[in-house]
């Protein structure tokens, strides 16, 4: 008599290959996405250490607002460089992270015409708007911007300067866009 219970419990060779393939796929996925998880942690760390925008603008230090989102790949890419630049300059400049998905910041999103992220808005030590940058900035660029703000010098040429791109109304800052006429 043949014991059929042993045959039913054994895994076939195709099933073994499938399990090995699935295991390898999981390992590779974890390896590839670990930087994304680390970047989210960095964004959270920066956001938790941020001052309130009004406090940052009135404390006598230059300030950078970073508009970001947790799902934004460019924001995640910039996060390690932003953390490192912030650490180097933390006692001389304030970095304020503002999540565009948080309704609490909708007034600032509208005021500074945030139509893409990451968007950095630069303020001097008196809280006056100096310019902005849209898109990923690397560590050297961030550090150059921070040093210009700290030293009260002109912002680097890769940023958009307030004197050439700003339309000012009484209580609102609106930045010219390429599609604007006038």
């Amino acid at each position: 008599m043949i014991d059929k219970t042993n045959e039913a419990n054994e895994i076939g060779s195709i099933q073994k290959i499938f399990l090995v393939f699935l295991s390898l796929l999981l390992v590779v996925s974890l390896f590839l996405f670990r930087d994304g998880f680390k970047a989210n942690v960095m964004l959270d760390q920066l956001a938790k250490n941020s001052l309130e925008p009004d406090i940052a603008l009135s404390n006598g230090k230059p300030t950078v607002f970073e508009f970001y989102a947790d799902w934004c790949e460019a924001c995640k890419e910039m996060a390690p460089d932003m953390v490192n630049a912030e650490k180097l300059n933390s006692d001389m400049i304030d970095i304020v992270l503002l999540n565009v998905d948080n309704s609490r910041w909708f007034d600032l999103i509208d005021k500074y015409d945030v139509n893409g992220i990451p968007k950095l808005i630069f303020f001097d030590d008196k809280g006056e708007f100096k310019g902005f940058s849209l898109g990923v900035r690397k560590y050297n660029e961030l550090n150059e911007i921070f040093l210009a703000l700290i030293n009260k010098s002109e912002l680097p040429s890769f940023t958009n300067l307030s004197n050439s791109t700003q339309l000012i109304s009484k209580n609102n800052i609106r930045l010219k866009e390429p599609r604007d006429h006038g």
Side-chain angles (χ1 to χ4, degrees):
M1 192 161 159
I2 300 174
D3 187 7
K4 292 192 177 192
T5 57
N6 269 351
E7 287 179 20
N9 289 336
E10 286 188 29
I11 298 176
S13 61
I14 294 176
Q15 291 169 326
K16 287 179 185 178
I17 292 170
F18 175 75
L19 287 174
V20 169
F21 176 74
L22 184 62
S23 299
L24 289 174
L25 183 65
L26 287 172
V27 168
V28 169
S29 297
L30 286 173
F31 180 75
L32 292 176
F33 294 116
R34 77 169 192 260
D35 287 336
F37 297 131
K38 185 169 43 169
N40 278 346
V41 169
M42 290 180 171
L43 284 171
D44 289 342
Q45 172 191 351
L46 280 169
K48 287 177 185 173
N49 293 335
S50 292
L51 293 174
E52 291 292 317
D54 55 338
I55 294 171
L57 291 174
S58 64
N59 71 359
K61 291 182 185 179
T63 300
V64 176
F65 287 177
E66 180 184 349
F67 291 92
Y68 78 101
D70 294 328
W71 48 263
C72 169
E73 291 302 318
C75 302
K76 291 177 190 179
E77 179 184 336
M78 192 169 75
D81 291 332
M82 182 62 91
V83 166
N84 291 333
E86 190 270 339
K87 283 180 184 174
L88 182 65
N89 300 289
S90 65
D91 56 338
M92 298 174 283
I93 197 165
D94 289 322
I95 310 297
V96 178
L97 263 69
L98 304 163
N99 191 327
V100 297
D101 292 329
N102 186 337
S103 61
R104 179 177 180 199
W105 308 125
F106 286 173
D107 60 332
L108 294 175
I109 291 166
D110 186 47
K111 181 176 182 175
Y112 296 110
D113 194 29
V114 177
N115 54 13
I117 53 175
K119 185 168 188 176
L120 305 175
I121 309 290
F122 311 119
F123 302 91
D124 65 13
D125 58 350
K126 295 177 183 82
E128 294 179 17
F129 175 85
K130 299 310 279 179
F132 72 96
S133 171
L134 182 61
V136 175
R137 292 287 167 216
K138 296 296 181 190
Y139 173 79
N140 291 338
E141 295 172 320
L142 292 169
N143 204 39
E144 191 176 340
I145 293 166
F146 293 176
L147 289 175
L149 290 169
I150 291 164
N151 295 323
K152 301 178 185 182
S153 58
E154 191 171 316
L155 289 172
S157 61
F158 54 78
T159 60
N160 294 299
L161 304 176
S162 62
N163 60 3
S164 63
T165 61
Q166 184 179 2
L167 289 174
I168 302 176
S169 64
K170 192 170 186 177
N171 293 319
N172 190 26
I173 295 173
R174 184 97 177 140
L175 303 172
K176 281 189 181 180
E177 294 294 322
R179 64 184 175 273
D180 291 345
H181 301 286

